[in-house]
Amino acid sequence: MHDESTVTAGPGLEAEQGVVDTLYSRLDAIRDEANVRLVEVRRSGPSGSPQNRSERDAFATLYEDRIAQLDAVEDRLCFGRLDMAVGERLYVGRIGLSDEDHVPLLTDWRAPAATPFYAATAAHPSGVVNRRHLTTRGRKVMAVEDDVLDVEALRASGQEESLAGEGALLAALDARRTGRMGDIVATIQSEQDAVIRAPLQGALVVQGGPGTGKTAVALHRAAYLLYHHRELLERRGVLLIGPSASFLRYIDHVLPSLGETGAVSTTLAGLVRGIGPTVRESDDVALLKGRADMAGVIRAAVRERQRVPRKDQEFRIDGRPVVLKRSDVREAQSRARRDGKPHNEARAAFAKDMITRLARQVADYLGPETEEEDRKEIARDLRDDRDIRIAINLCWLPVTPVALLRDVLSKRHLLDACASRLSVDERDLLFRSADAPLTDADIPLLDEAAELLGELPQAAARKDDRKAELRYAKEVLEIVGGNGVVTAEMLADRMQAPTLQRSVAERASEDRSWTYGHVVVDEAQELSPMAWRMLLRRCPSRSFTIVGDVAQTSSPAGTRWWPETMDPQFQAGWNLRELTVSYRIPAAVAEAAQSFARAAGLPVSEISAAREVDDAVSAISVPHAADVVERAVLAAAGEAAALEERGGGLVAIIASAEMVTALAAVAPEGVEVLTARDAKGLEYDAVVVADPAAVAHVPQDLYVALTRPTRRLVLVHSGRLPEGLAAEH
């Protein structure tokens, strides 16, 4: 409820501009106050007791985080208003704001009080008389649209208002594409809201056809969970997995604009450090590498690095014989494995054990009177002996994940030994040259290897240093008392780099072993069983939001039926929700795409399109296949020109991988040329599909291509269109 002295009531832009001005004025005041206090804290300097310094650092972090949050919600701070039957008026926005007297001015969209803004309908108004949508650009109110849910109550109140425009939802969807996802905070419907507010526990699978808002819902669910489970998730963070780097750029502003900056967004490849560009794997090999039993191949390859010599080996230290016995190697390896440490980190224990055994031989040779200092000297001599050092290393070889995978796939005897449960034909598929580039299907195998190998000795030492810093920080807090304001992680970060503020997201992205409080996976139908192993080890609580569409699965190792994938990973701890209304795709485009999908036998979800667009689908036939490129480029240029007359928009040509290069060389500036797989998750005002029959060699790819446009779909072909499309056009 608003203080009537500061908020102007009444219809129209002018009244709402006054409200928005008040809200931004309050935002500026809070930000200015935080900046002043931050300057004061920094001016105090590093002097004082440990308690004073830790409290100062904690307050500096608090103000820095608050300023970052306020900066992030600058755009579209307020987007809605609720007029309630009880006479209360609530403005809804990206964060909550109160005036100096603590009177609420703006309600956070995730707060329970804002639920009716998304969930109320004319059939179930939830006490809402009128719902107003505000469209803003910067700090200026550009348009208002009213959605009357209870006409009788509105008339009885004497505040009858008329609707403006074509409604907030359709207006937002009809707007031209800009290359970034327009977040749907102001247009979330009840179906989507139920998904966003579902419980945190377990795995929630959201199945929905193209245009149903799966990605936007997943992002808003992440922000909602961060808000409502702050204490749990602020310590561990939220991981968002997207299908490509371009997709991440497309959605990168959504969470910050909602007031959340504590999430790590990356691709699967981004979870494995030190991996450069990869190439796409062939389908038959990708299917094989995606199988869960490849974990056994990697495990065997790691174990192969723990070798027992073929025979005992004799060395001499200062003329005295020492024997590297096969039985000692086996026992030392067994003892080293017992600690449960990864291979590279357990190597030190193995080497130490072997040196002890060899030193004991020398000491026994010298006799029982050998003193402790002499024994230590013997051990040093053994460690310094080059031949002995090499022999011990050969028994337990440290290795990187890339080197391990390269060796096992390029050395036939290793592949045969480690993948003995696979058929000869399957091993032939996996075998490749040592200089072959890494592929996208290698990423989960590298992560599996990294989990089993652990850090190399130098990196492990740095990790031990960090543990020591944390132990010291905890001791300091126990002595001075942190009062919960400062954590050991915060204090350790400040001691290491006093001027550097490291968020949970930054710490998590630097630590491969970090476990998250929640994981959001987009385009989840593409993940193989090995990829799911990657993600599950990063969230032991198995709290997931999983969105996808099994009709769009292009990966041969991906999901065609959710229970087949989810049951082995989550047992009974998952449930399925479906989104059925496509807000993005014009009805004619949706009908054409679904007609093709049904004809191709894809497990397509039934969707209802919310929008009708005139002349949304057209087909252009050319006499010869060689003419497709030229005609597709002309069609794209025509669509771009038509959009420019309306204020601009995005145009894409989607084609087979074989045709993309030729198209890219002659496409007009500003027109994107890409394959269907690269276009997955993206949207354009107009899409030209060049040679649909060639794209349809993988039916899921053509289904993806057909469902990218928000206004116009143009099919350029030579001869017959694929079945289903031909019936329509």
Side-chain angles (χ1 to χ4, degrees):
M1 184 162 40
H2 291 278
D3 182 344
E4 293 300 327
S5 65
T6 59
V7 178
T8 305
L13 294 180
E14 185 177 347
E16 300 301 356
Q17 185 65 61
V19 174
V20 170
D21 289 343
T22 298
L23 295 173
Y24 275 108
S25 176
R26 183 58 182 155
L27 181 74
D28 291 340
I30 295 172
R31 182 161 42 203
D32 290 344
E33 181 181 354
N35 274 305
V36 168
R37 297 200 173 188
L38 178 60
V39 170
E40 291 175 350
V41 169
R42 286 174 173 168
R43 190 183 295 130
S44 65
S47 61
S49 67
Q51 180 174 1
N52 289 339
R53 289 197 298 272
S54 64
E55 289 179 353
R56 182 207 66 219
D57 291 342
F59 281 120
T61 300
L62 175 67
Y63 295 136
E64 288 165 354
D65 289 347
R66 183 60 168 158
I67 292 166
Q69 182 195 42
L70 296 173
D71 287 341
V73 299
E74 174 72 27
D75 186 37
R76 288 165 293 172
L77 173 64
C78 174
F79 51 75
R81 188 186 90 188
L82 288 174
D83 295 334
M84 310 301 290
V86 295
E88 184 181 21
R89 174 169 291 174
L90 298 175
Y91 279 87
V92 180
R94 301 185 182 284
I95 60 171
L97 289 176
S98 298
D99 66 14
E100 294 177 347
D101 297 323
H102 306 292
V103 175
L105 297 176
L106 186 64
T107 300
D108 191 300
W109 71 275
R110 292 154 295 192
T115 302
F117 190 78
Y118 313 106
T121 63
H124 301 92
S126 302
V128 178
V129 174
N130 184 61
R131 172 169 49 204
R132 170 167 284 187
H133 302 269
L134 280 66
T135 302
T136 59
R137 183 179 301 158
R139 296 190 171 197
K140 185 177 181 181
V141 180
M142 306 303 296
V144 296
E145 300 178 65
D146 291 312
D147 183 8
V148 178
L149 301 182
D150 191 336
V151 177
E152 294 303 319
L154 188 70
R155 288 173 178 166
S157 69
Q159 299 179 12
E160 186 173 353
E161 301 174 274
S162 60
L163 294 174
E166 58 181 321
L169 173 62
L170 296 185
L173 293 166
D174 198 43
R176 65 187 178 90
R177 302 301 107 184
T178 63
R180 292 206 177 216
M181 169 178 282
D183 68 80
I184 59 165
V185 171
T187 56
I188 297 172
Q189 302 302 289
S190 297
E191 179 182 69
Q192 298 169 319
D193 187 64
V195 171
I196 290 170
R197 297 171 192 269
L200 172 68
Q201 293 75 22
L204 177 67
V205 177
V206 183
Q207 161 69 32
T212 53
K214 298 183 297 297
T215 298
V217 167
L219 293 171
H220 287 78
R221 173 164 168 75
Y224 176 82
L225 293 176
L226 280 164
Y227 179 81
H228 281 275
H229 300 275
R230 174 71 61 191
E231 186 175 345
L232 172 64
L233 296 181
E234 71 178 353
R235 296 193 306 271
R236 304 311 310 170
V238 171
L239 174 65
L240 287 90
I241 296 295
S244 65
S246 59
F247 173 83
L248 294 176
R249 289 193 296 272
Y250 179 60
I251 57 96
D252 66 359
H253 79 303
V254 173
L255 276 179
S257 73
L258 294 175
E260 296 299 346
T261 56
V264 175
S265 58
T266 185
T267 60
L268 280 175
L271 294 176
V272 183
R273 286 177 292 173
I275 304 301
T278 60
V279 299
R280 180 167 288 158
E281 187 67 87
S282 62
D283 283 356
D284 51 356
V285 179
L287 179 61
L288 178 55
K289 287 183 176 179
R291 282 169 27 186
D293 52 4
M294 283 300 296
V297 175
I298 300 300
R299 187 165 52 252
V302 172
R303 188 64 176 266
E304 191 277 335
R305 293 283 172 149
Q306 301 166 16
R307 301 166 180 169
V308 177
R310 293 182 179 178
K311 60 181 182 179
D312 293 348
Q313 298 172 277
E314 183 174 315
F315 303 91
R316 301 194 77 80
I317 295 294
D318 294 333
R320 303 179 187 94
V322 290
V323 179
L324 188 78
K325 300 177 182 177
R326 299 177 77 242
S327 58
D328 282 347
V329 171
R330 288 195 192 93
E331 289 178 13
Q333 288 177 341
S334 179
R335 285 169 62 93
R337 293 186 198 111
R338 258 177 243 152
D339 288 341
K341 288 185 177 180
H343 171 86
N344 289 333
E345 296 171 25
R347 178 194 167 279
F350 165 75
K352 182 178 179 180
D353 194 341
M354 287 305 305
I355 292 294
T356 300
R357 291 169 186 266
L358 294 174
R360 191 180 301 130
Q361 289 183 35
V362 176
D364 290 345
Y365 181 85
L366 294 175
E369 67 278 2
T370 306
E371 296 182 1
E372 183 63 26
E373 199 57 42
D374 293 331
R375 293 176 185 271
K376 291 180 180 178
E377 183 66 31
I378 292 168
R380 279 193 292 270
D381 290 343
L382 289 165
R383 281 194 297 269
D384 292 341
D385 187 273
R386 181 176 178 273
D387 292 338
I388 290 177
R389 194 166 60 246
I390 290 174
I392 291 175
N393 277 340
L394 288 174
C395 294
W396 194 294
L397 290 167
V399 64
T400 65
V402 172
L404 181 89
L405 187 65
R406 183 190 63 227
D407 284 354
V408 76
L409 296 183
S410 65
K411 297 178 179 179
R412 189 65 201 218
H413 68 284
L414 281 181
L415 183 58
D416 289 341
C418 298
S420 58
R421 294 189 178 183
L422 302 182
S423 69
V424 174
D425 289 343
E426 289 171 334
R427 280 177 258 159
D428 288 341
L429 279 176
L430 290 176
F431 186 70
R432 69 188 188 195
S433 65
D435 59 355
L438 291 174
T439 71
D440 52 356
D442 290 333
I443 298 300
L445 305 184
L446 291 169
D447 192 69
E448 191 78 25
E451 181 74 8
L452 297 174
L453 291 173
E455 305 281 4
L456 287 172
Q458 303 90 330
R462 289 195 296 271
K463 203 169 187 180
D464 289 340
D465 289 343
R466 174 63 177 175
K467 290 179 180 177
E469 290 168 359
L470 287 173
R471 282 197 300 271
Y472 176 70
K474 289 176 181 176
E475 290 171 3
V476 171
L477 290 178
E478 288 173 1
I479 294 171
V480 303
N483 297 325
V485 175
V486 180
T487 66
E489 289 81 4
M490 291 166 56
L491 188 55
D493 290 340
R494 294 294 180 176
M495 290 188 297
Q496 183 181 31
T499 60
L500 180 63
Q501 177 195 356
R502 298 172 73 247
S503 66
V504 168
E506 289 168 332
R507 296 202 306 272
S509 61
E510 294 169 4
D511 184 355
R512 202 203 72 83
S513 63
W514 190 276
T515 56
Y516 294 85
H518 189 75
V519 178
V520 178
V521 189
D522 195 31
E523 300 292 347
Q525 75 278 356
E526 302 299 333
L527 269 59
S528 68
M530 284 299 295
W532 280 110
R533 287 178 63 88
M534 280 184 73
L535 297 183
L536 286 169
R537 67 172 58 104
R538 285 168 171 83
C539 187
S541 66
R542 281 169 161 69
S543 176
F544 278 72
T545 298
I546 299 162
V547 299
D549 179 13
V550 290
Q552 297 185 58
T553 304
S554 57
S555 168
T559 297
R560 267 71 183 176
W561 187 48
W562 288 117
E564 184 179 34
T565 297
M566 294 296 107
D567 285 345
Q569 311 297 345
F570 298 96
Q571 287 79 50
W574 72 281
N575 63 85
L576 178 67
R577 301 279 184 95
E578 288 200 62
L579 299 177
T580 60
V581 179
S582 177
Y583 302 110
R584 169 170 55 83
I585 305 173
V589 173
E591 290 167 9
Q594 291 211 301
S595 175
F596 164 75
R598 285 190 289 268
L602 298 180
V604 64
S605 298
E606 291 297 328
I607 56 174
S608 301
R611 304 170 58 229
E612 293 279 356
V613 176
D614 293 338
D615 193 27
V617 181
S618 65
I620 300 172
S621 178
V622 296
H624 307 289
D627 300 326
V628 168
V629 169
E630 180 182 359
R631 192 64 186 86
V633 168
L634 286 174
E639 295 299 324
L643 286 168
E644 193 61 34
E645 292 180 1
R646 300 187 49 181
L650 295 183
V651 179
I653 303 175
I654 300 178
S656 64
E658 294 75 19
M659 191 176 286
V660 158
T661 302
L663 284 163
V666 294
E669 185 177 355
V671 172
E672 291 192 47
V673 179
L674 65 172
T675 65
R677 295 190 184 185
D678 291 333
K680 187 166 291 184
L682 306 179
E683 59 186 59
Y684 301 88
D685 293 87
V687 169
V688 177
V689 180
D691 195 359
V695 181
H697 284 311
V698 178
Q700 294 90 339
D701 284 354
L702 183 55
Y703 184 60
V704 169
L706 296 174
T707 54
R708 296 308 95 199
T710 64
R711 281 190 168 277
R712 280 269 294 163
L713 172 65
V714 181
L715 308 172
V716 180
H717 64 98
S718 60
R720 289 186 61 232
L721 285 166
E723 188 178 353
L725 285 178
E728 296 285 329
H729 304 281

